[in-house]
Amino acid sequence: NLGFVSLWTDITEQRRYETLIQQQNVLLEARVRERTAELLSAKTEIDDIAQALGRSEARLQMIIDSIPALVAYVDSHRVYQFANRGYAEWFGLSKDRIVGRSIVEVFGTEAYAQIREHLDTASRGEQVTYEYARKDEKGRAVYARSVVVPEIDASDQVVGFFVLSIDITQQKASEAALIQAQKMEAVGQLTG
């Protein structure tokens, strides 16, 4: 008599875990899709903001370059971090050739000697106004009036300077012509 042996294994618990794992995987995949969509939406929003900021910065740069004033920012080591087009052209340079250079490099030692004391005062946190003269690339004397406003951080340290300058060469020429005319008038009166 031959017989057979049969073994039975209850896999009900195993099937229940498999079903639970499948359900958890479906939920996890749905959460991943949802989170990915949120991140893509956030990235799109950030990209839109970045583009708007870029347009705003370009507009501001255009405005700063268009105003009839010389505008610059210098760090506490007296190295240019920004210059508008007018400022750069005043020194016969491009904006790219000013940024990263020191004031003494841009001004030259002779003109820098005229303003060094004023910059020392600004380094102590005081706003200063001064006039200076320098030779342009053609050797002519040019004049400017500058206001230097220190940038002071939260710990009262000067971290840089905002510079606003106005070309006063024409004004100086007019003043000299007026003085000359007054001298000529005085000579004419004495002669008369």
Side-chain angles (χ1 to χ4, degrees):
N1 222 356
L2 293 173
F4 64 91
V5 176
S6 86
L7 296 170
W8 297 83
T9 305
D10 186 3
I11 59 168
T12 307
E13 193 72 18
Q14 181 181 347
R15 294 284 183 218
R16 195 167 58 88
Y17 285 128
E18 287 174 0
T19 304
L20 183 61
I21 289 171
Q22 285 177 346
Q23 290 172 347
Q24 293 298 321
N25 280 342
V26 167
L27 283 173
L28 183 59
E29 288 172 4
R31 285 185 185 156
V32 166
R33 280 192 303 274
E34 182 180 305
R35 187 68 181 131
T36 301
E38 288 174 7
L39 290 173
L40 286 173
S41 174
K43 182 191 178 309
T44 301
E45 189 174 335
I46 289 170
D47 288 348
D48 291 347
I49 291 169
Q51 287 177 352
L53 283 173
R55 286 189 303 272
S56 177
E57 184 178 347
R59 238 184 341 267
L60 183 58
Q61 184 67 49
M62 183 187 70
I63 291 167
I64 290 172
D65 280 342
S66 298
I67 61 173
L70 317 175
V71 180
Y73 178 79
V74 183
D75 68 18
S76 61
H77 302 291
R78 299 184 184 179
V79 173
Y80 287 96
Q81 300 301 313
F82 172 83
N84 75 341
R85 185 177 57 234
Y87 195 97
E89 289 172 354
W90 168 256
F91 289 100
L93 299 170
S94 67
K95 293 189 306 184
D96 296 343
R97 298 232 10 248
I98 285 189
V99 173
R101 294 175 74 183
S102 70
I103 294 174
V104 71
E105 286 177 278
V106 172
F107 269 69
T109 53
E110 187 178 313
Y112 182 73
Q114 296 175 59
I115 67 167
R116 186 178 54 244
E117 285 182 38
H118 301 293
L119 295 176
D120 291 344
T121 300
S123 292
R124 293 189 294 273
E126 298 176 42
Q127 179 175 315
V128 293
T129 301
Y130 55 88
E131 292 181 6
Y132 68 93
R134 67 172 196 80
K135 300 280 185 198
D136 68 7
E137 59 275 356
K138 295 177 182 172
R140 296 177 302 200
V142 291
Y143 300 87
R145 180 177 300 119
S146 295
V147 177
V148 176
V149 179
E151 179 187 15
I152 300 173
D153 68 8
S155 59
D156 285 337
Q157 298 297 312
V158 174
V159 294
F161 312 97
F162 299 100
V163 181
L164 173 65
S165 300
I166 303 292
D167 182 346
I168 59 170
T169 304
Q170 193 62 41
Q171 178 185 340
K172 290 287 187 182
S174 297
E175 288 172 3
L178 178 62
I179 290 170
Q180 184 63 27
Q182 288 171 339
K183 284 182 186 177
M184 294 303 284
E185 183 181 339
V187 168
Q189 288 177 356
L190 285 174
T191 306

